Structure formats: C-alpha cells, structure tokens
Amino acid sequence: MPRWEHPEKDLPSFRLTDVDGKVWYLKRLQGKTLLVCIWATWSAPSQWILPKFQSLYDQLQSREDLEIFSMNVDEDPSLARPFMAK
C-alpha cells in the first residue's frame, strides 16, 4: 500500500515554464510541500491519474503550504494542452 514518505534528498534547483508561460523556481517554493505528477499523453496510467490529480487540486488549491505540479514528458509539448482539455 502506498504511503507518504519524506524524500531522502532535496530536489535539485530548477526553473520550469508552464503551459501558460509562467516560470516556476524551486527557490520560491521553499517551505512548501510539493506534490508532483509526471505524465504523458500516451500513458494509460496518466489517463487514469490526471483526473484524480485535478480533483485533489480543486480541493486543496487554497492551501498556501502546498503546491501541486503535473509535468508532461511528451516529445511534442503541443500535445499536452488538448489532452488536458479532455
């Protein structure tokens, strides 16, 4: 059964740009809990988990101590937005 665990190592510093062009830096997220989902449009498990992630986000979006990220790993980033719209 899955369980919450604290990571053994810190995340490396990063700079990421989201589909809307907003830039995210790890340094600005210090002190917050990060929940990350890595997905692809071709992945059956991704198709199952993303609606659950959206529901979780909808419930927790007002929390200031938590950030929920989903990262697409498709080779063609233009596939992400239509997939998310579904």
PDB file of all heavy atoms in Angstrom, residues 19-20 39 41 47 50-51 54 70 72 77-86:
ATOM      1  N   VAL A  19       2.503  25.706 -19.178  1.00  0.00           N
ATOM      2  CA  VAL A  19       1.845  25.864 -20.482  1.00  0.00           C
ATOM      3  C   VAL A  19       1.313  27.274 -20.701  1.00  0.00           C
ATOM      4  O   VAL A  19       1.052  27.671 -21.837  1.00  0.00           O
ATOM      5  CB  VAL A  19       0.710  24.828 -20.690  1.00  0.00           C
ATOM      6  CG1 VAL A  19       1.256  23.432 -20.769  1.00  0.00           C
ATOM      7  CG2 VAL A  19      -0.353  24.947 -19.622  1.00  0.00           C
ATOM      8  N   ASP A  20       1.151  28.051 -19.638  1.00  0.00           N
ATOM      9  CA  ASP A  20       0.684  29.422 -19.753  1.00  0.00           C
ATOM     10  C   ASP A  20       1.829  30.433 -19.783  1.00  0.00           C
ATOM     11  O   ASP A  20       1.597  31.630 -19.808  1.00  0.00           O
ATOM     12  CB  ASP A  20      -0.271  29.758 -18.611  1.00  0.00           C
ATOM     13  CG  ASP A  20      -1.538  28.913 -18.669  1.00  0.00           C
ATOM     14  OD1 ASP A  20      -2.045  28.682 -19.788  1.00  0.00           O
ATOM     15  OD2 ASP A  20      -1.996  28.460 -17.611  1.00  0.00           O
ATOM     16  N   TRP A  39       3.662  12.864 -16.294  1.00  0.00           N
ATOM     17  CA  TRP A  39       2.728  12.144 -17.153  1.00  0.00           C
ATOM     18  C   TRP A  39       3.044  12.345 -18.636  1.00  0.00           C
ATOM     19  O   TRP A  39       3.825  13.213 -19.004  1.00  0.00           O
ATOM     20  CB  TRP A  39       1.305  12.588 -16.861  1.00  0.00           C
ATOM     21  CG  TRP A  39       1.037  14.036 -17.101  1.00  0.00           C
ATOM     22  CD1 TRP A  39       1.308  15.071 -16.251  1.00  0.00           C
ATOM     23  CD2 TRP A  39       0.471  14.618 -18.276  1.00  0.00           C
ATOM     24  NE1 TRP A  39       0.929  16.261 -16.815  1.00  0.00           N
ATOM     25  CE2 TRP A  39       0.409  16.011 -18.062  1.00  0.00           C
ATOM     26  CE3 TRP A  39      -0.005  14.110 -19.468  1.00  0.00           C
ATOM     27  CZ2 TRP A  39      -0.092  16.897 -19.007  1.00  0.00           C
ATOM     28  CZ3 TRP A  39      -0.514  14.983 -20.414  1.00  0.00           C
ATOM     29  CH2 TRP A  39      -0.553  16.353 -20.175  1.00  0.00           C
ATOM     30  N   THR A  41       0.832  11.864 -22.659  1.00  0.00           N
ATOM     31  CA  THR A  41      -0.465  11.638 -23.295  1.00  0.00           C
ATOM     32  C   THR A  41      -0.659  10.187 -23.715  1.00  0.00           C
ATOM     33  O   THR A  41      -1.778   9.708 -23.771  1.00  0.00           O
ATOM     34  CB  THR A  41      -0.633  12.538 -24.533  1.00  0.00           C
ATOM     35  OG1 THR A  41       0.448  12.288 -25.437  1.00  0.00           O
ATOM     36  CG2 THR A  41      -0.653  14.000 -24.135  1.00  0.00           C
ATOM     37  N   GLN A  47      -3.657   8.700 -17.996  1.00  0.00           N
ATOM     38  CA  GLN A  47      -5.052   8.983 -18.308  1.00  0.00           C
ATOM     39  C   GLN A  47      -5.951   8.682 -17.109  1.00  0.00           C
ATOM     40  O   GLN A  47      -6.974   9.318 -16.910  1.00  0.00           O
ATOM     41  CB  GLN A  47      -5.490   8.185 -19.526  1.00  0.00           C
ATOM     42  CG  GLN A  47      -4.768   8.634 -20.779  1.00  0.00           C
ATOM     43  CD  GLN A  47      -5.057   7.764 -21.974  1.00  0.00           C
ATOM     44  OE1 GLN A  47      -6.064   7.077 -22.022  1.00  0.00           O
ATOM     45  NE2 GLN A  47      -4.165   7.799 -22.954  1.00  0.00           N
ATOM     46  N   LEU A  50      -4.588  11.563 -13.896  1.00  0.00           N
ATOM     47  CA  LEU A  50      -4.730  13.016 -14.038  1.00  0.00           C
ATOM     48  C   LEU A  50      -6.073  13.560 -13.571  1.00  0.00           C
ATOM     49  O   LEU A  50      -6.104  14.614 -12.910  1.00  0.00           O
ATOM     50  CB  LEU A  50      -4.426  13.451 -15.471  1.00  0.00           C
ATOM     51  CG  LEU A  50      -2.925  13.484 -15.786  1.00  0.00           C
ATOM     52  CD1 LEU A  50      -2.699  13.747 -17.259  1.00  0.00           C
ATOM     53  CD2 LEU A  50      -2.207  14.514 -14.941  1.00  0.00           C
ATOM     54  N   PRO A  51      -7.203  12.916 -13.849  1.00  0.00           N
ATOM     55  CA  PRO A  51      -8.465  13.439 -13.287  1.00  0.00           C
ATOM     56  C   PRO A  51      -8.461  13.433 -11.754  1.00  0.00           C
ATOM     57  O   PRO A  51      -9.032  14.325 -11.120  1.00  0.00           O
ATOM     58  CB  PRO A  51      -9.529  12.489 -13.833  1.00  0.00           C
ATOM     59  CG  PRO A  51      -8.931  11.909 -15.067  1.00  0.00           C
ATOM     60  CD  PRO A  51      -7.460  11.814 -14.784  1.00  0.00           C
ATOM     61  N   GLN A  54      -6.487  16.426 -10.680  1.00  0.00           N
ATOM     62  CA  GLN A  54      -7.287  17.637 -10.842  1.00  0.00           C
ATOM     63  C   GLN A  54      -8.270  17.788  -9.689  1.00  0.00           C
ATOM     64  O   GLN A  54      -8.443  18.875  -9.138  1.00  0.00           O
ATOM     65  CB  GLN A  54      -8.033  17.625 -12.175  1.00  0.00           C
ATOM     66  CG  GLN A  54      -8.842  18.879 -12.422  1.00  0.00           C
ATOM     67  CD  GLN A  54      -7.989  20.125 -12.541  1.00  0.00           C
ATOM     68  OE1 GLN A  54      -7.020  20.118 -13.291  1.00  0.00           O
ATOM     69  NE2 GLN A  54      -8.331  21.182 -11.815  1.00  0.00           N
ATOM     70  N   SER A  70       1.959  19.107 -12.229  1.00  0.00           N
ATOM     71  CA  SER A  70       1.931  17.978 -13.157  1.00  0.00           C
ATOM     72  C   SER A  70       2.858  18.353 -14.302  1.00  0.00           C
ATOM     73  O   SER A  70       2.813  19.479 -14.814  1.00  0.00           O
ATOM     74  CB  SER A  70       0.515  17.669 -13.641  1.00  0.00           C
ATOM     75  OG  SER A  70       0.032  18.673 -14.495  1.00  0.00           O
ATOM     76  N   ASN A  72       4.407  17.227 -18.024  1.00  0.00           N
ATOM     77  CA  ASN A  72       4.264  16.398 -19.208  1.00  0.00           C
ATOM     78  C   ASN A  72       5.636  16.093 -19.797  1.00  0.00           C
ATOM     79  O   ASN A  72       6.475  16.980 -19.901  1.00  0.00           O
ATOM     80  CB  ASN A  72       3.389  17.122 -20.242  1.00  0.00           C
ATOM     81  CG  ASN A  72       3.294  16.356 -21.526  1.00  0.00           C
ATOM     82  OD1 ASN A  72       4.084  16.569 -22.429  1.00  0.00           O
ATOM     83  ND2 ASN A  72       2.334  15.460 -21.603  1.00  0.00           N
ATOM     84  N   PRO A  77       5.548  18.954 -27.004  1.00  0.00           N
ATOM     85  CA  PRO A  77       4.785  19.617 -25.948  1.00  0.00           C
ATOM     86  C   PRO A  77       3.409  20.117 -26.391  1.00  0.00           C
ATOM     87  O   PRO A  77       2.536  20.329 -25.560  1.00  0.00           O
ATOM     88  CB  PRO A  77       5.661  20.794 -25.525  1.00  0.00           C
ATOM     89  CG  PRO A  77       6.949  20.660 -26.238  1.00  0.00           C
ATOM     90  CD  PRO A  77       6.809  19.626 -27.293  1.00  0.00           C
ATOM     91  N   SER A  78       3.191  20.284 -27.694  1.00  0.00           N
ATOM     92  CA  SER A  78       1.896  20.779 -28.162  1.00  0.00           C
ATOM     93  C   SER A  78       0.776  19.764 -27.931  1.00  0.00           C
ATOM     94  O   SER A  78      -0.399  20.116 -28.020  1.00  0.00           O
ATOM     95  CB  SER A  78       1.960  21.156 -29.648  1.00  0.00           C
ATOM     96  OG  SER A  78       2.101  20.001 -30.452  1.00  0.00           O
ATOM     97  N   LEU A  79       1.120  18.523 -27.603  1.00  0.00           N
ATOM     98  CA  LEU A  79       0.113  17.500 -27.326  1.00  0.00           C
ATOM     99  C   LEU A  79      -0.532  17.679 -25.949  1.00  0.00           C
ATOM    100  O   LEU A  79      -1.623  17.178 -25.702  1.00  0.00           O
ATOM    101  CB  LEU A  79       0.738  16.103 -27.410  1.00  0.00           C
ATOM    102  CG  LEU A  79       1.331  15.701 -28.753  1.00  0.00           C
ATOM    103  CD1 LEU A  79       2.062  14.365 -28.623  1.00  0.00           C
ATOM    104  CD2 LEU A  79       0.254  15.622 -29.807  1.00  0.00           C
ATOM    105  N   ALA A  80       0.141  18.372 -25.065  1.00  0.00           N
ATOM    106  CA  ALA A  80      -0.308  18.460 -23.670  1.00  0.00           C
ATOM    107  C   ALA A  80      -1.621  19.211 -23.500  1.00  0.00           C
ATOM    108  O   ALA A  80      -2.528  18.738 -22.819  1.00  0.00           O
ATOM    109  CB  ALA A  80       0.773  19.094 -22.808  1.00  0.00           C
ATOM    110  N   ARG A  81      -1.733  20.391 -24.082  1.00  0.00           N
ATOM    111  CA  ARG A  81      -2.918  21.226 -23.846  1.00  0.00           C
ATOM    112  C   ARG A  81      -4.208  20.549 -24.311  1.00  0.00           C
ATOM    113  O   ARG A  81      -5.180  20.492 -23.558  1.00  0.00           O
ATOM    114  CB  ARG A  81      -2.759  22.601 -24.464  1.00  0.00           C
ATOM    115  CG  ARG A  81      -3.820  23.571 -23.949  1.00  0.00           C
ATOM    116  CD  ARG A  81      -3.625  24.966 -24.492  1.00  0.00           C
ATOM    117  NE  ARG A  81      -2.449  25.623 -24.000  1.00  0.00           N
ATOM    118  CZ  ARG A  81      -2.391  26.320 -22.855  1.00  0.00           C
ATOM    119  NH1 ARG A  81      -3.437  26.412 -22.082  1.00  0.00           N
ATOM    120  NH2 ARG A  81      -1.281  26.929 -22.498  1.00  0.00           N
ATOM    121  N   PRO A  82      -4.289  19.982 -25.544  1.00  0.00           N
ATOM    122  CA  PRO A  82      -5.522  19.302 -25.941  1.00  0.00           C
ATOM    123  C   PRO A  82      -5.844  18.111 -25.034  1.00  0.00           C
ATOM    124  O   PRO A  82      -7.004  17.853 -24.706  1.00  0.00           O
ATOM    125  CB  PRO A  82      -5.270  18.834 -27.367  1.00  0.00           C
ATOM    126  CG  PRO A  82      -4.109  19.626 -27.857  1.00  0.00           C
ATOM    127  CD  PRO A  82      -3.341  20.038 -26.648  1.00  0.00           C
ATOM    128  N   PHE A  83      -4.816  17.400 -24.598  1.00  0.00           N
ATOM    129  CA  PHE A  83      -5.008  16.266 -23.703  1.00  0.00           C
ATOM    130  C   PHE A  83      -5.586  16.738 -22.366  1.00  0.00           C
ATOM    131  O   PHE A  83      -6.523  16.130 -21.837  1.00  0.00           O
ATOM    132  CB  PHE A  83      -3.668  15.548 -23.487  1.00  0.00           C
ATOM    133  CG  PHE A  83      -3.761  14.333 -22.619  1.00  0.00           C
ATOM    134  CD1 PHE A  83      -4.131  13.106 -23.156  1.00  0.00           C
ATOM    135  CD2 PHE A  83      -3.476  14.395 -21.273  1.00  0.00           C
ATOM    136  CE1 PHE A  83      -4.221  11.969 -22.363  1.00  0.00           C
ATOM    137  CE2 PHE A  83      -3.555  13.283 -20.467  1.00  0.00           C
ATOM    138  CZ  PHE A  83      -3.920  12.061 -21.022  1.00  0.00           C
ATOM    139  N   MET A  84      -5.054  17.836 -21.843  1.00  0.00           N
ATOM    140  CA  MET A  84      -5.534  18.362 -20.563  1.00  0.00           C
ATOM    141  C   MET A  84      -6.967  18.866 -20.677  1.00  0.00           C
ATOM    142  O   MET A  84      -7.728  18.797 -19.717  1.00  0.00           O
ATOM    143  CB  MET A  84      -4.618  19.470 -20.060  1.00  0.00           C
ATOM    144  CG  MET A  84      -3.258  18.968 -19.646  1.00  0.00           C
ATOM    145  SD  MET A  84      -2.110  20.183 -18.941  1.00  0.00           S
ATOM    146  CE  MET A  84      -2.528  21.709 -19.673  1.00  0.00           C
ATOM    147  N   ALA A  85      -7.333  19.387 -21.836  1.00  0.00           N
ATOM    148  CA  ALA A  85      -8.689  19.907 -22.030  1.00  0.00           C
ATOM    149  C   ALA A  85      -9.737  18.790 -21.929  1.00  0.00           C
ATOM    150  O   ALA A  85     -10.858  19.035 -21.514  1.00  0.00           O
ATOM    151  CB  ALA A  85      -8.802  20.590 -23.391  1.00  0.00           C
ATOM    152  N   LYS A  86      -9.349  17.568 -22.315  1.00  0.00           N
ATOM    153  CA  LYS A  86     -10.266  16.422 -22.207  1.00  0.00           C
ATOM    154  C   LYS A  86     -10.475  16.103 -20.756  1.00  0.00           C
ATOM    155  O   LYS A  86     -11.437  15.679 -20.286  1.00  0.00           O
ATOM    156  CB  LYS A  86      -9.716  15.197 -22.907  1.00  0.00           C
ATOM    157  CG  LYS A  86      -9.769  15.274 -24.400  1.00  0.00           C
ATOM    158  CD  LYS A  86      -9.590  13.945 -25.094  1.00  0.00           C
ATOM    159  CE  LYS A  86      -8.311  13.255 -24.793  1.00  0.00           C
ATOM    160  NZ  LYS A  86      -8.038  12.060 -25.533  1.00  0.00           N
TER     161      LYS A  86
END
